Amino acid sequence: MSAAGRVLSVKRVAAFHVVTLVAPGVAERFRPGSLVALSVGGAVSAHLTRRTFPISAVRPTGAHGGTVEVVLDAGADAGAAAEPGVRWLVGSPPGTPVDVLGPVGRPYALPKEPVSCLLVGEEAAAAPLFALAERLRARGCGVHMLLGARSDTHLVGVLEARRAARSVGVVTRDGSVGASGELADELPAVLARTAAEVVYAAGRIPTLHAVAALAEEHGAWSQTALDVPMPCALGLCQACVVPVVGEEGVTRMVRACVEGPVLRGDRVRWADLGRVPKDAR
Amino acid sequence: MSAVDLGTDLAGLALDPPVMCASGCGGTGRELEATGDLAGLGAFTTRTITLDPRPGAAAPRLVETASGVLWETGGHNPGRAAFRAVALPALARRGVPTVVSGAGSTIGEYAELAGRLAGAPGVRGLEVNLVSRNADAYERRFCDDGFQVTKVLAAVRAELPAGVALWAKLAPGGTLPELARAAAVGGADAVVLVHGFAGITFDPDTWRPSLGGGPGLVGGPAVLSQALRCVWDVHAAVPTLPLIGCGGVRSGRDAVQMLLAGASAVQVGTWLLRDPSGARRIAVELAEELRRHDHTRPGDLVGLGHHDTPEGPR
C-alpha cells in the first residue's frame, strides 16, 4: 500500500498548486473520491504524520510509470500561514522522494441507474470531481456541475467542466465571475433545473452541510467528501472521527479516512462536527 | 558464528520477535492486516477495552508535534462485549499472539473485565492500563498510587487462567520504581514503560487547544530519551523485573537502546501511524545490530547499559 514515490512536477493552477507524483500502484486502484497520504519533509523529517489529500487525477502508465495528482492550497494569496507540510510539498523540486500511501478511503458511490447527477465543487476541492464526472457519463448519467470560489482566481476547472458536464453553474463570493454569493445560494435553483437525483459535493464543511440539507429538501441523495486532517490515513490514529448516524439510528464516531472520506450527507451530524454527541456510542 | 535468534521468553510468554505494537496504535488488527503487517508482530496489543463502550474524545484526537504527536482518544472503544464478539475472534483466526489492554474505573471493573476476556481464544496476555481514574478514590489515577496498583493487579491476577501473562502499564512519573515494584507485588509478570507524556499545543488560527479534548499525551521519537530513562530507572531499582519498553521507538537502534536500558521487549506505537510496516523493519534492524556486535540473542543486551564496563563492539 505504501510505496516510494517522487515528485514529478509542481504547477500553478489559479491560486493553487498541482503536485504530480510518480507513485507505483496507485492509479490502478483509484476510484473518484479516494485519497492519497503523503509523508513530508524527507526521511529525517521532524514531521512524522502524513498529509492526506483527495486524488484529483491518475495516469496508470506513462514515461515515468503510474502517476497521481493532487491540488493543494498553500495559502499563497491569502497570506495565511500555510501548513508546513503543504509548503514543503509545493516547494519540492522534481525528483524529491515522497512516500505515497494510497489509494485509501471510501470513494463516491455511483448510481445503479443512469440518473441526473449534480456535482458541486468549491475551489481546489472541485478538482477530483472531473474524474467522477467521467465515470458517471460512462454509466449514462446526465452530469451537471456547480463550481464556487471566493473569487475567479480561486476557481478550478471551469473549462474542464464545460467539456465534462451538460450544464455548468459558477458562483463567486465577490461576484468576479458568475453569480455572486455562496454555492448554497445557487443550489436550490440548480437542483430544480437539473432534476438531480444524486448530489456529489466537495468543499469546506459549511458548504457540505448546506449541500446535504438542500439535497435532502429536494429529495436527492447526497454524497459528501469530507476534508479533515487525516494524520495516518490507515484507520489507526482516530484523529479524524466524525459523528455519523448508522442504519439503525445509532450515532457512532467513524474515521473519515477509512469509513469516509465520502459519506452520505444525510448521515453526517454536521452541527456536531468537532464534538462527541451525548448519545454517540 | 551462530545465527541471530530473536525468540524471547518474556516471563513465560514467547515473543518472536520481541517487537509488538503498542496499545491503541494497531487499531483492531484489521487495519494492519490490510497492509500485510500484522504477521510481523511478536504480539498484538489491542486498544484499551473497558466493560462498556466509550465514544471517546472530540476530534481532532491527534495532532503533530516536533518529532512526535499529541493525542487523546478519550478511551474510545467498543466495550468488552462487542470486542469479544468481533475484533477478538478475528485476531485469534490470524494466529497472532494477542495481548488485551484493559482498564476500569474501579478495581471491581478491572477484575470483571479480566474475567470476561482473559479466557477467550487467542488471548495470551492482559496489559492492565493503570492510567485510568479511580471512581472510589476521588478520581485519582490508579497509576499514581502504589497501593492501588498492587490491589488492581492482585484482583486481575485472581481472574486469569494459567498461561495468560499479566502486564502492568504505567505512566511516567517520579516514583516509577516504587510503582513498578507495587505491580510486581500484585502479581504482574512484566511492566510496560511507559504511557504517554502529558502535553498540550495550540492551534495557530483559532488559538484554542489543538486537540478536540484540550490536553493530551505526547508520543513518538520526541519522547524516546525520556522513555529510556523510565526503563533505566526501574531496571536499576528492580533488575529482576521484566520490562517492556514503549515510547518513541522507530528503528532497530532505538530497540537496542531500550534493551540496554533494561527492557526485554519493545512496543512500537506512533511510528506505526507513519509506517505500518515499521515493526517488521525494526525487528530486521534489531537482528542486524545484534549481528554487527557479534551477539545472537536480544536477551544478551538487557540491562547491559547499566554495567560499568559494557560489552562494546568487538
Side-chain angles (χ1 to χ4, degrees):
Chain A
M1 247 177 122
S2 147
R6 65 186 155 85
V7 174
L8 183 64
S9 66
V10 180
K11 294 190 181 104
R12 288 296 293 263
V13 163
F16 308 110
H17 291 81
V18 180
V19 179
T20 306
L21 300 135
V22 177
V26 178
E28 294 79 355
R29 291 175 293 131
F30 161 79
R31 284 159 72 196
S34 56
L35 308 164
V36 69
L38 310 175
S39 63
V40 297
V44 294
S45 173
H47 297 282
L48 303 187
T49 63
R50 289 179 186 270
R51 305 312 193 251
T52 306
F53 307 107
I55 298 171
S56 57
V58 294
R59 198 160 294 173
T61 53
H64 307 280
T67 61
V68 58
E69 181 191 291
V70 292
V71 181
L72 307 183
D73 183 357
D77 292 0
E83 197 280 310
V86 171
R87 219 165 45 213
W88 180 84
L89 278 167
V90 303
S92 293
T96 305
V98 176
D99 192 78
V100 180
L101 174 75
V104 293
R106 193 170 287 184
Y108 290 110
L110 304 179
K112 289 186 179 67
E113 308 288 325
V115 297
S116 175
C117 299
L118 174 62
L119 280 51
V120 182
E122 187 173 34
E123 302 203 349
L129 293 175
F130 299 101
L132 173 67
E134 199 175 298
R135 305 235 176 164
L136 289 170
R137 278 187 307 163
R139 287 172 170 249
C141 295
V143 174
H144 305 272
M145 295 190 98
L146 177 61
L147 301 173
R150 67 196 94 162
S151 71
D152 58 347
T153 53
H154 290 77
L155 210 48
V156 168
V158 176
L159 284 177
E160 227 174 330
R162 301 222 187 278
R163 284 195 297 270
R166 276 186 201 168
S167 76
V168 180
V170 173
V171 47
T172 51
R173 194 173 304 145
D174 65 0
S176 48
V177 60
S180 174
E182 299 288 337
L183 277 166
D185 305 334
E186 292 301 302
L187 197 58
V190 178
L191 279 167
R193 171 169 60 76
T194 59
E197 292 184 41
V198 188
V199 182
Y200 296 92
R204 294 174 304 127
I205 297 292
T207 302
L208 299 182
H209 186 176
V211 169
L214 292 166
E216 193 161 8
E217 250 170 58
H218 175 78
W221 295 106
S222 64
Q223 292 263 310
T224 52
L226 269 75
D227 187 8
V228 295
M230 300 170 191
C232 82
L234 292 160
L236 293 176
C237 82
Q238 309 228 358
C240 59
V241 289
V242 289
V244 169
V245 183
E247 291 289 342
E248 70 284 35
V250 176
T251 297
R252 289 202 171 75
M253 301 303 292
V254 313
R255 299 158 298 178
C257 68
V258 288
E259 288 151 283
V262 179
L263 293 163
R264 261 176 60 177
D266 59 327
R267 295 287 190 196
V268 178
R269 289 179 62 167
W270 297 101
D272 290 323
L273 284 187
R275 297 195 291 135
V276 179
K278 284 211 162 37
D279 57 338
R281 298 198 53 194
Chain B
M1 181 193 138
S2 50
V4 170
D5 176 10
L6 289 180
T8 298
D9 175 14
L10 188 90
L13 180 62
L15 298 172
D16 189 7
V19 181
M20 303 165 261
C21 69
S23 174
C25 296
T28 61
R30 217 176 50 176
E31 297 85 357
L32 290 179
E33 168 118 70
T35 61
D37 295 308
L38 192 58
L41 300 171
F44 180 86
T45 317
T46 71
R47 79 177 49 163
T48 297
I49 305 298
T50 51
L51 282 176
D52 296 318
R54 291 189 185 173
R61 291 173 174 181
L62 181 141
V63 294
E64 197 174 75
T65 63
S67 295
V69 299
L70 178 75
W71 62 272
E72 181 52 76
T73 63
H76 186 178
N77 83 96
R80 50 98 183 132
F83 170 73
R84 178 152 184 172
V86 184
L88 201 46
L91 285 165
R93 279 197 298 276
R94 307 299 184 275
V96 181
T98 299
V99 176
V100 176
S101 170
S105 47
T106 63
I107 291 172
E109 280 186 24
Y110 274 102
E112 186 184 347
L113 189 75
R116 288 177 184 275
L117 293 176
V123 175
R124 305 293 306 280
L126 201 69
E127 180 180 289
V128 178
N129 178 354
L130 291 153
V131 188
S132 173
R133 299 200 177 270
N134 185 347
D136 293 334
Y138 309 103
E139 299 292 320
R140 201 168 166 218
R141 302 190 307 176
F142 287 98
C143 60
D144 293 331
D145 180 345
F147 179 63
Q148 298 289 344
V149 168
T150 301
K151 288 215 303 189
V152 170
L153 270 296
V156 169
R157 178 95 263 176
E159 299 292 331
L160 291 195
V164 175
L166 176 59
W167 300 347
K169 186 166 184 181
L170 295 172
T175 58
L176 259 182
E178 286 77 41
L179 294 164
R181 207 177 265 126
V185 168
D189 298 310
V191 171
V192 183
L193 299 170
V194 61
H195 203 66
F197 292 77
I200 192 165
T201 62
F202 296 88
D203 185 277
D205 295 322
T206 64
W207 289 6
R208 300 287 309 145
S210 320
L211 290 181
L217 297 167
V218 184
V223 305
L224 173 66
S225 59
Q226 290 150 285
L228 284 167
R229 177 64 187 271
C230 294
V231 173
W232 168 275
D233 286 347
V234 173
H235 184 78
V238 204
T240 53
L241 179 62
L243 304 178
I244 298 158
C246 176
V249 174
R250 64 172 156 175
S251 69
R253 290 189 174 187
D254 294 345
V256 165
Q257 293 200 71
M258 280 290 187
L259 301 182
L260 295 175
S264 299
V266 300
Q267 293 185 342
V268 185
T270 301
W271 201 255
L272 291 183
L273 308 181
R274 177 186 174 101
D275 175 14
S277 311
R280 190 191 298 263
R281 178 181 48 76
I282 288 165
V284 169
E285 290 174 0
L286 172 60
E288 279 168 12
E289 288 297 306
L290 288 168
R291 206 173 289 119
R292 196 164 72 84
H293 290 268
D294 227 5
H295 278 283
T296 56
R297 308 177 59 83
D300 298 347
L301 273 58
V302 176
L304 209 57
H306 291 258
H307 298 188
D308 284 342
T309 51
E311 283 182 69
R314 289 177 202 163

